[in-house]
Every structure is written in C-alpha cells, then in structure tokens.
Amino acid sequence: MEKNVRVGILMGSDSDWEKINGVAKALDEFNVGYEIHVMSAHRTPDKVLEYASTAKSRGLGVIIAAAGGAAHLAGVVASHTTLPVIGVPVKTDMMGGLDSLLSTVQMPGDVPVATVGTGSGGARNAGILAVQILATGDPTLAEALVAFKEKLVAKIAAKDAAFQEKLSQPS
Ligand code: RP5
C-alpha cells in the first residue's frame, strides 16, 4: 500500500539532490510519506505559487524547501501557505553556503522559515524536524521519536566507552 504523502520536498534544481537527499532518508527512517519536486522561485515562480497555495488542501503537513545561492524558494513558499516551512540552505562554493544560509534564514517578521544548517547535518535535521512537527498530532510518530532519542543516547554512550578504552591504552 502506498504511504500517505505528508511532506513536500522542493528543490530549486536537480543539482541540489545529491546534497540534500538526507532529507528523504530521514523521512524514510520514520516511514513518513513524501513527494519530491524540482521547482524554482526564480525560474518557475508560477509553479511554486500553485504548489504552495494548494499543498495544505492536498493533505501535506510540512513543506521542506532546499535551494542554493540566492535561495528564496523556502521564503516564497512560506509566503503562500500556512503550513510550517523548513528551509534547507544548499551548500555552495561561497563560504560553504553562507549565501544560501542567509538568503533562507533572514525572513521578515510574520513569515517564518525554520532554517536548518548547510551540509548533510542540516538536510538530515530538516527531515527529523518535519517528523517532529507531524508527531505533535500523531502518537505513533511521537513514540518513534522517543525510541530514536534513546538510540542516540546508546550510540553516544558506546562512542564514549570506545574512546575511554582508547585513552587507557599505553601510547
Ligand atoms: C538554485 O540555484 C538551486 O537551488 C541551485 O542550488 C542553484 C543552481 O542551480 P542550477 O544552475 O544547478 O540549476 O536556484
């Protein structure tokens, strides 16, 4: 059976995919359905307007928008929907994507975009944040997040134990 699509992932270009596919992997881990589209605030503004303004009525709960450079996609999407919008600034050659980060995060008051960091950690966090937003109204997802946090604790404890072991070895 096909999963319900609850998250829309938008990218300014197909060239962004390689850098942001961690978004989809994180959603897969929680079995959350999504759709992915390439559309651009600058190259296909009408398409972005249509997507953002109909997303809620189509049943989406969160939109994740990734773009690089003059990264206005998330902001434009946020201006046309009441859904929560997560912005993923795509890493560029300019100081690791500082251009994308500032273009995404510096929204005017009243139009929030929850902006994550650049790089693979940011993309992953966008997916997890989307799950956390959906989990506010979904007890199954909320439980999965508790288990996820427990696994994180165990993972870091194991790393610490391994590191302590390494320190105790004679150099
Ligand atoms: C942005 O311009 C896209 O999100 C991408 O990061 C960047 C370059 O796009 P391409 O020229 O590779 O299509 O809008």
Side-chain angles (χ1 to χ4, degrees):
M1 199 176 77
E2 248 180 49
K3 276 186 269 185
N4 277 348
V5 173
R6 301 170 76 185
V7 178
I9 304 173
L10 303 181
M11 300 179 286
S13 172
D14 58 344
S15 65
D16 296 324
W17 176 241
E18 203 184 315
K19 298 174 192 167
I20 66 115
N21 60 29
V23 173
K25 285 185 194 144
L27 294 172
D28 285 337
E29 283 175 34
F30 288 90
N31 208 27
V32 167
Y34 54 84
E35 60 186 17
I36 311 175
H37 293 286
V38 176
M39 59 184 76
S40 159
H42 308 119
R43 291 164 172 160
T44 61
D46 293 346
K47 213 169 165 187
V48 173
L49 164 61
E50 199 209 334
Y51 186 90
S53 55
T54 58
K56 192 164 186 227
S57 61
R58 291 193 305 107
L60 295 188
V62 182
I63 300 175
I64 297 174
H72 301 138
L73 183 59
V76 170
V77 168
S79 70
H80 292 295
T81 183
T82 56
L83 289 176
V85 176
I86 302 172
V88 183
V90 174
K91 210 165 181 175
T92 62
D93 293 336
M94 183 180 279
M95 291 182 281
L98 187 61
D99 49 349
S100 318
L101 175 63
L102 295 178
S103 305
T104 305
V105 78
Q106 290 288 26
M107 289 296 291
D110 300 328
V111 191
V113 167
T115 306
V116 296
T118 60
S120 59
R124 179 164 176 75
N125 281 347
I128 292 170
L129 181 56
V131 174
Q132 289 178 325
I133 291 167
L134 294 172
T136 59
D138 182 330
T140 307
L141 275 186
E143 264 176 45
L145 282 165
V146 172
F148 171 71
K149 288 284 191 201
E150 285 167 359
K151 266 196 228 156
L152 275 185
V153 171
K155 190 166 99 181
I156 299 306
K159 279 178 190 275
D160 183 50
F163 192 69
Q164 296 307 320
E165 175 68 22
K166 198 171 153 189
L167 287 178
S168 69
Q169 301 298 321
S171 50

